[in-house]
Amino acid sequence: MILKTKTLQNTVSPQAIAGQKQEQNVAFFLRRAFKDNPEILVINDFKFTFNDETAQIDHLIVYPYGFVLIESKSIKGHVNVNKQGEWTRSFNRQWSGIASPIKQVELQQTLLKELLAHHKSEILGKLLGIKQQGFNLRCWDHLCVISSDAIIDRNAMPKVISEQLVKSEFLVDKLKEIMNLTNKFMRFINVKDTRPDFNQAELDSIGHFILSQHIDSSNQASEVVAKTPEENQQPQVPTAVNNTTPITNNQPTSATKLSCKHCGESTNYIPMYGKFGYYINCNQCTKNTPMKQACPMCHSKNTKVQKRKETYTLNCQDCSHSQQIV
């Protein structure tokens, strides 16, 4: 059953267009295979936040025994992964390293598990009315799906990564192998399969909760733009809780688009924090771009990025201009 379709973005760069097309291809195979199965829930393009962290899952499968997260990558040419798990790819006969999509989806999986565990009492009932059910003992798997015309060198690739890396047209076969989902009667009499399962009511509850947690990026952008001039010009006074630099009355704030400096993608990314401060990790090309940039008013490079909940603000230390960037 398809609970959520892919949200199309207005992309302009070739890399972003190719990435979106790959996600659509994967969504097509999932829809064709599982659209009529109420026990297999498909959520495409799921973005959520928990504990001040944000993640975007390209495709999420929920089935009676657990979850499968799928990362779509538009990777053409040759793909190599060494024994340390480091990825390289060829493009126009040039080799370059890329961030590991497997590591990326592992981080998404960890955050999703934390979110579900935090709300388990709202989603699942108690076993025999006594013990609260949870999600840790369920099956958790993740895959990376790449373009069909990629060439994968599996000979030198670690076996565990090779098992998690599939081409689009083989995805459904791989999912059926992972889920190993027989009919309800066979599951009932098969005493060898000790996996705890969700019943249909629990599956429906999980699907409803996940959809309620989705963040619509387009709606977020609209909310920022919809602020009145009076709201945008209102000065902010720093307190012990809010460290934001005051905004001068003659310099109204306006949302500015932060985009990937490598491929130009301006919507499909994840805000993150690292050794050198705040940055965005692009879901299209998997590369990073610092949030810190020159002040749009005075062009000073003496700026700082501050975070409050899910809002990231660029503050100029010279002219005191401040504006939201994410």
Side-chain angles (χ1 to χ4, degrees):
M1 180 180 294
I2 311 301
L3 294 190
K4 183 183 178 302
T5 59
K6 161 69 181 170
T7 302
L8 296 180
Q9 306 288 344
N10 292 323
T11 54
V12 293
S13 69
Q15 295 91 338
I17 293 173
Q20 182 160 263
K21 182 179 179 181
Q22 169 66 3
E23 288 187 42
Q24 288 179 284
N25 287 341
V26 172
F28 165 77
F29 285 112
L30 295 176
R31 181 176 66 253
R32 189 170 65 176
F34 305 124
K35 66 178 180 179
D36 297 322
N37 192 331
E39 288 192 302
I40 300 178
L41 310 181
V42 179
I43 300 103
N44 296 293
D45 195 14
F46 171 47
K47 184 178 182 180
F48 67 100
T49 183
F50 179 71
N51 197 24
D52 288 334
E53 298 293 338
T54 302
Q56 183 159 359
I57 301 172
D58 290 340
H59 315 276
L60 173 63
I61 308 294
V62 185
Y63 68 107
Y65 294 123
F67 306 83
V68 185
L69 285 75
I70 302 169
E71 178 72 15
S72 294
K73 288 298 176 188
S74 176
I75 301 178
K76 299 184 179 182
H78 288 74
V79 179
N80 290 339
V81 183
N82 64 21
K83 62 181 180 181
Q84 285 79 26
E86 298 166 338
W87 289 56
T88 55
R89 60 170 291 188
S90 67
F91 183 73
N92 290 336
R93 300 182 180 179
Q94 302 257 336
W95 283 92
S96 63
I98 61 173
S100 168
I102 300 298
K103 288 298 181 183
Q104 181 177 345
V105 75
E106 284 175 354
L107 291 173
Q108 297 166 356
Q109 177 176 294
T110 299
L111 193 63
L112 178 61
K113 289 178 72 172
E114 292 174 353
L115 172 68
L116 294 176
H118 185 75
H119 294 278
K120 62 183 180 181
S121 61
E122 305 168 32
I123 306 171
L124 302 176
K126 294 184 177 181
L127 187 63
L128 301 177
I130 302 173
K131 185 179 173 91
Q132 175 62 55
Q133 297 187 77
F135 296 94
N136 285 335
L137 296 180
R138 313 297 175 165
C139 296
W140 287 88
D141 296 278
H142 49 269
L143 299 170
C144 176
V145 185
I146 63 175
S147 309
S148 299
D149 52 358
I151 301 173
I152 306 174
D153 182 6
R154 296 188 185 273
N155 293 328
M157 185 179 297
K159 184 178 180 181
V160 64
I161 294 180
S162 181
E163 288 293 322
Q164 296 171 325
L165 180 61
V166 296
K167 292 188 178 183
S168 302
E169 68 269 29
F170 298 107
L171 172 61
V172 172
D173 294 334
K174 185 65 177 180
L175 286 171
K176 289 180 178 179
E177 175 188 331
I178 289 174
M179 293 187 291
N180 189 22
L181 193 62
T182 57
N183 62 57
K184 292 182 180 179
F185 176 74
M186 293 301 297
R187 298 205 301 264
F188 180 75
I189 65 174
N190 185 6
V191 294
K192 293 183 179 180
D193 193 343
T194 58
R195 295 176 295 174
D197 62 339
F198 301 119
N199 59 37
Q200 191 61 53
E202 290 167 338
L203 283 173
D204 294 340
S205 178
I206 294 169
H208 178 77
F209 173 79
I210 289 175
L211 291 180
S212 72
Q213 298 298 305
H214 174 65
I215 302 171
D216 191 330
S217 299
S218 59
N219 286 346
Q220 281 188 314
S222 299
E223 289 172 3
V224 174
V225 175
K227 285 187 177 181
T228 65
E230 289 79 8
E231 290 174 319
N232 282 333
Q233 291 179 2
Q234 185 176 358
Q236 298 180 5
V237 179
T239 65
V241 177
N242 181 8
N243 257 348
T244 306
T245 305
I247 304 171
T248 56
N249 288 331
N250 62 345
Q251 293 174 343
T253 62
S254 60
T256 182
K257 279 194 174 182
L258 190 64
S259 60
C260 174
K261 68 178 182 180
H262 303 281
C263 70
E265 176 59 40
S266 60
T267 56
N268 191 10
Y269 56 71
I270 302 175
M272 303 187 77
Y273 181 79
K275 179 180 179 181
F276 300 104
Y278 293 107
Y279 64 96
I280 57 173
N281 177 249
C282 180
N283 285 326
Q284 298 295 344
C285 69
T286 73
K287 295 184 178 180
N288 300 331
T289 300
M291 289 190 192
K292 179 178 168 61
Q293 53 189 287
C295 174
M297 296 295 291
C298 71
H299 307 293
S300 169
K301 294 184 179 180
N302 186 19
T303 58
K304 290 184 178 180
V305 175
Q306 293 179 321
K307 177 180 183 291
R308 186 182 182 190
K309 293 185 178 181
E310 297 311 310
T311 300
Y312 297 79
T313 306
L314 182 72
N315 299 308
C316 180
Q317 305 303 297
D318 290 337
C319 73
S320 297
H321 176 73
S322 177
Q323 69 181 47
Q324 181 178 333
I325 52 176
V326 179

